[in-house]
């Protein structure tokens, strides 16, 4: 029987049959496959569209990706054969399910792209196959610059329309078998298989050209409600296996590159040796964090907040520090962002809040106790069970709720205003005061502020340093203080480092001040002595 007649006969089989070469490229498939998968072409790598539940398997339960939104479930069996020195594999696919769209849990309801968890599963499978075949992959993490401004100016529906438009534009610049996901509010992840797509590895466009095309498409105007909106994006790029031999390593490398790109904005960066050093430092800090949490090796410092009318200590802000094994102190600006990303920030917050209340209770027993101010992360604050947790700590520690101040940032409110308002209202009902930290450094406005049930406004030290030498900035600072008072909020200004700073704030009628001139962060014994002396 001739090969052509054999193919014709096999082509009539109702069972789906695919033949691949030694590298997994499709050499031939029968008509049953074509009915299901009309876009399959010879030369396609089968393992780019066929994903086994067992990553190391070449048979068993699998998902066949039909297009960007549709998969079919298949049971696969495989047989190898040789034609001379050439090795081939025959895959037999059997279906007991009808074709189905990706369910809600797999597809992002807004953009139709993969969700992050789905992407991770598919990407890891692709990495495993690429490692077997010694092939490179390119991972992009793209972050939209300034989407929040669109939400603030035009509403969230407008922001959602922008995201849908950007999703479509990104898909126009990738191949049908590439993976694209929306991994967060304004972040996308892409995994491309170079093959013949990039000049670095074959014919076609370079990685830089592909990236620039995607970023350029995002810079193009989007029409929203008769307005033209123009944003930009930043991207971090890593290459498998050069920058990481597993998906977590590859994503960390791309994240490091993205951080560098976001500092510049409207740019893209590859993971470089310098960024690798940053990544290495980050991994080290992550380990210090885990050890500190496990061993409860978290150091608390207290910085006084002074009442400018009486020169007495009104409150102390609780600051956390971690110590590296060799004794070097880790500061919050290094470990807090990492803890917010890896989800451990609430563990730190719980520890700090409890220890601060215990310290406050000890001061209460000595009949002197300032207010205690504790920073609360966005993750903690937007948990509706948080007020209940705080109430339990207050009861357990015996600390007076009226002397507790919880500091939150603007982002805690912007991300979920409904939940934030509910939490603030509940906390204030049990006597706790709320301070809005770093007011004016984001997108806050006084029209927005008057709706918020906060007691104190903390102004960033930049307002004070700029007002010192600039009449215009002095007017800005004076206006912020005055407007806060009009709204019934008291004001704390940070960064008081000179007598001139203090004098200026007193002239402007500021309520409270904090800074090195008035007291540096200090250990428990030192602050206790200072507080005790203050209350005599």
């Amino acid at each position: 029987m001739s090969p052509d007649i054999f193919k014709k006969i096999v082509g009539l089989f109702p069972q789906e049959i695919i033949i691949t070469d030694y590298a997994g490229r499709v050499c031939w498939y029968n008509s049953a496959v074509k009915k299901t998968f009309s876009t399959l072409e010879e030369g396609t790598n089968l393992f780019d569209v066929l994903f086994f539940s067992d990553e190391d398997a070449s048979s068993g339960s699998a998902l066949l990706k039909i297009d960007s939104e549709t998969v079919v479930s298949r049971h696969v069996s495989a047989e190898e054969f040789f034609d001379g020195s050439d090795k081939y594999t025959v895959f037999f696919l059997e279906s007991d399910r009808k074709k189905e769209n990706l369910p809600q849990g797999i597809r992002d309801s807004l953009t139709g792209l993969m969700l992050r968890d789905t992407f991770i599963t598919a990407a890891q499978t692709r990495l495993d196959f690429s490692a077997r075949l010694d092939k490179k992959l390119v991972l992009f993490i793209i972050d939209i610059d300034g989407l929040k401004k669109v939400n603030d100016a035009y509403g969230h529906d407008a922001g959602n329309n922008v995201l849908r438009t950007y999703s479509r534009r990104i898909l126009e610049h990738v191949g049908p078998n590439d993976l694209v996901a929306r991994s967060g509010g304004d972040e996308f992840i892409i995994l491309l298989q170079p093959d013949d797509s990039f000049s670095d590895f074959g014919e076609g466009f370079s990685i830089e050209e592909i990236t620039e095309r995607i970023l350029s498409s995002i810079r193009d105007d989007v029409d929203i409600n008769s307005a033209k909106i123009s944003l930009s994006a930043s991207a971090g790029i890593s290459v498998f296996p050069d920058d990481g031999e597993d998906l977590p390593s590859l994503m960390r490398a791309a994240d490091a590159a993205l951080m560098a790109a976001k500092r510049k904005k409207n740019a893209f960066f590859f993971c470089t040796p310098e960024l690798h050093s940053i990544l290495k430092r980050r991994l080290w800090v992550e380990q210090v964090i885990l050890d500190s949490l496990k061993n409860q090796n978290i150091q608390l410092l207290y910085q006084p907040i002074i009442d400018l009318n009486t020169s007495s200590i009104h409150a102390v802000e609780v600051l956390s520090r971690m110590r590296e094994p060799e004794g070097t102190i880790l500061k919050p600006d290094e470990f807090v962002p990492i803890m917010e990303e890896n989800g451990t920030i609430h563990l730190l917050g719980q520890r700090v809040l409890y220890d601060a209340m215990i310290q406050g209770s000890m001061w209460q027993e000595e009949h002197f106790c300032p207010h205690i101010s504790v920073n609360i992360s966005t993750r903690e604050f937007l948990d509706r069970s948080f007020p209940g947790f705080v109430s339990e700590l207050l009861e357990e520690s015996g600390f007076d709720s009226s002397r507790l101040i919880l500091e939150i940032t603007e982002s805690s409110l912007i991300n979920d205003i409904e939940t934030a308002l509910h939490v603030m209202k509940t906390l204030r009902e049990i006597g706790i005061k709320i301070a809005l930290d770093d007011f004016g450094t984001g997108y806050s406005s006084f029209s927005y502020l008057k709706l918020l049930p906060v007691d104190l406004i903390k102004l960033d030290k930049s307002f004070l340093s700029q007002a010192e030498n600039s009449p215009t900035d002095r007017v800005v600072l004076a206006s912020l203080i005055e407007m806060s008072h009009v709204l019934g909020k008291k004001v704390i200004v940070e960064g008081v480092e000179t007598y001139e700073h203090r004098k200026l704030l007193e002239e402007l009628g500021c309520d409270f001040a904090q800074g090195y001139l008035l007291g540096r962060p200090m250990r428990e014994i030192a602050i206790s002595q200072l507080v005790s002396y203050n209350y005599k």
Side-chain angles (χ1 to χ4, degrees):
M1 182 183 298
S2 71
D4 289 340
I5 294 176
F6 175 78
K7 286 183 178 181
K8 287 181 179 180
I9 294 173
V10 175
L12 297 175
F13 285 11
Q15 184 180 27
E16 296 164 340
I17 302 173
I18 301 174
I19 300 176
T20 65
D21 64 13
Y22 72 98
R25 291 185 294 259
V26 175
C27 302
W28 180 86
Y29 52 90
N30 67 352
S31 58
V33 173
K34 192 166 186 177
K35 289 178 182 177
T36 302
F37 197 173
S38 60
T39 58
L40 184 65
E41 297 179 353
E42 293 185 10
T44 300
N45 192 308
L46 182 60
F47 299 118
D48 285 340
V49 295
L50 187 66
F51 306 103
F52 290 94
S53 55
D54 183 347
E55 295 177 358
D56 296 324
S58 58
S59 61
S61 297
L63 291 176
L64 181 64
K65 179 182 174 184
I66 302 301
D67 53 41
S68 62
E69 292 190 357
T70 309
V71 295
V72 291
S73 176
R74 291 290 184 266
H75 181 80
V76 181
S77 57
E79 296 290 342
E80 295 181 350
F81 71 94
F82 289 85
D83 182 11
S85 60
D86 295 328
K87 176 184 173 182
Y88 297 90
T89 304
V90 183
F91 291 89
F92 302 93
L93 285 67
E94 296 179 342
S95 173
D96 56 0
R97 296 183 183 179
K98 294 182 178 180
K99 185 165 61 176
E100 56 187 4
N101 288 332
L102 294 176
Q104 189 68 30
I106 294 178
R107 186 183 67 239
D108 175 40
S109 59
L110 177 64
T111 63
L113 300 178
M114 283 182 171
L115 290 173
R116 182 184 179 91
D117 289 347
T118 312
F119 174 90
I120 288 174
T121 300
Q124 187 59 62
T125 301
R126 190 158 299 189
L127 258 65
D128 293 341
F129 283 121
S130 295
R132 294 180 196 174
L133 301 175
D134 194 26
K135 296 168 67 174
K136 291 183 180 289
L137 294 171
V138 183
L139 181 75
F140 301 77
I141 300 181
I142 298 175
D143 187 87
I144 308 301
D145 303 324
L147 183 64
K148 181 180 178 298
K149 295 180 181 179
V150 176
N151 290 331
D152 290 344
Y154 299 97
H156 286 280
D157 286 344
N160 289 342
N161 286 335
V162 169
L163 286 172
R164 291 189 194 97
T165 300
Y166 289 162
S167 300
R168 290 193 296 269
R169 291 177 182 178
I170 290 172
L171 290 174
E172 290 173 358
H173 296 285
V174 300
N177 295 324
D178 295 323
L179 304 181
V180 183
R182 181 186 176 209
S183 63
D186 56 1
E187 188 174 275
F188 299 89
I189 310 179
I190 305 170
L191 186 68
L192 300 184
Q193 181 171 311
D195 281 344
D196 297 328
S197 303
F198 302 104
S199 62
D200 303 62
F201 312 98
E203 299 297 327
F205 299 112
S206 67
I207 301 176
E208 292 87 348
E209 288 173 324
I210 290 292
T211 309
E212 180 52 42
R213 283 174 175 238
I214 291 174
L215 297 189
S216 178
S217 72
I218 291 173
R219 288 193 294 268
D220 290 343
D221 291 345
V222 179
D223 292 326
I224 299 292
N225 299 331
S226 301
K228 290 188 178 297
I229 295 173
S230 179
L231 299 178
S232 61
S234 304
I237 305 168
S238 58
V239 178
F240 171 82
D242 306 26
D243 298 319
E245 295 185 352
D246 56 46
L247 189 59
S249 299
L250 203 63
M251 292 182 72
R252 282 195 294 266
D255 265 327
L258 177 62
M259 284 190 286
K262 287 177 70 173
R263 283 194 288 269
K264 186 175 181 181
K265 291 194 180 299
N266 190 27
F268 63 88
F269 279 77
F270 287 86
C271 191
T272 62
E274 292 77 18
L275 291 177
H276 266 297
S277 297
I278 296 173
L279 181 59
K280 186 176 180 180
R281 172 64 181 174
R282 178 192 170 96
L283 294 174
W284 170 255
V285 171
E286 285 181 344
Q287 189 57 51
V288 172
I289 290 170
L290 293 175
D291 291 342
S292 297
L293 291 173
K294 180 180 179 181
N295 302 320
Q296 297 187 9
N297 186 26
I298 298 166
Q299 182 183 43
L300 296 189
L301 301 179
Y302 302 83
Q303 186 174 25
I305 298 173
I306 304 300
D307 186 327
L308 290 173
N309 294 315
T310 65
S311 295
S312 62
I313 298 176
H314 172 73
V316 293
E317 180 179 358
V318 184
L319 306 169
S320 57
R321 301 288 187 268
M322 293 185 184
R323 191 181 296 274
E324 297 183 54
E326 67 273 16
T328 306
I329 295 294
L330 277 181
K331 293 186 177 180
D333 57 358
E334 186 168 17
F335 65 78
V336 168
I338 293 175
M339 298 186 77
E340 287 178 338
E341 289 180 21
N342 65 22
T344 57
I345 191 66
H346 69 289
L347 299 176
L348 173 66
Q350 292 171 3
R351 184 78 259 167
V352 171
L353 193 56
Y354 178 74
D355 288 349
M357 288 186 187
I358 293 297
Q359 180 60 59
S361 297
M362 293 172 61
W363 285 336
Q364 284 178 177
E365 292 177 0
E366 299 293 331
H367 302 293
F368 58 83
C369 184
H371 290 78
I372 293 182
S373 188
V374 181
N375 291 279
I376 304 299
S377 71
T378 300
R379 183 187 181 99
E380 293 174 278
F381 196 75
L382 293 181
D383 184 344
R384 286 179 176 263
S385 66
F386 178 66
F389 170 74
V390 176
S391 295
E392 291 176 4
L393 291 187
L394 286 168
E395 184 176 353
E396 183 177 345
S397 65
F399 185 58
D400 182 359
S401 63
S402 68
R403 307 199 74 78
L404 179 62
I405 302 171
L406 299 182
E407 295 189 22
I408 58 174
T409 60
E410 295 176 44
S411 61
S412 299
L413 311 176
I414 300 300
N415 290 343
D416 186 347
I417 185 63
E418 182 181 348
T419 298
L421 288 172
H422 168 78
V423 171
M424 280 190 282
K425 180 176 179 293
T426 307
L427 290 171
R428 294 184 84 227
E429 285 175 351
I430 59 178
I432 296 170
K433 295 178 175 62
I434 307 294
L436 187 59
D437 197 11
D438 294 336
F439 180 79
T441 58
Y443 302 109
S444 291
S445 66
F446 282 103
S447 60
Y448 181 66
L449 181 61
K450 69 182 180 181
L451 302 175
L452 302 177
V454 300
D455 304 278
L456 298 138
I457 303 298
K458 290 193 77 171
L459 299 181
D460 185 72
K461 62 183 180 180
S462 61
F463 288 104
L464 182 58
S465 61
Q466 292 166 2
E468 185 178 15
N469 300 311
S470 167
T472 301
D473 289 324
R474 179 187 173 110
V475 171
V476 171
L477 178 58
S479 299
L480 288 172
I481 294 172
E482 182 180 357
M483 287 300 296
S484 296
H485 288 162
V486 169
L487 295 174
K489 324 291 185 184
K490 293 195 174 184
V491 179
I492 304 172
V493 175
E494 300 175 295
V496 179
E497 299 179 355
T498 66
Y499 289 104
E500 288 74 17
H501 285 165
R502 175 169 181 163
K503 182 180 178 181
L504 174 59
L505 292 179
E506 289 174 343
E507 291 174 355
L508 297 178
C510 183
D511 303 289
F512 309 109
Q514 182 178 1
Y516 283 1
L517 174 70
L518 308 170
R520 290 175 175 268
M522 56 191 80
R523 298 290 294 272
E524 173 192 328
I525 295 177
I527 192 67
S528 294
Q529 291 174 344
L530 183 62
V531 169
S532 175
Y533 178 79
N534 179 81
Y535 276 78
K536 286 181 179 179

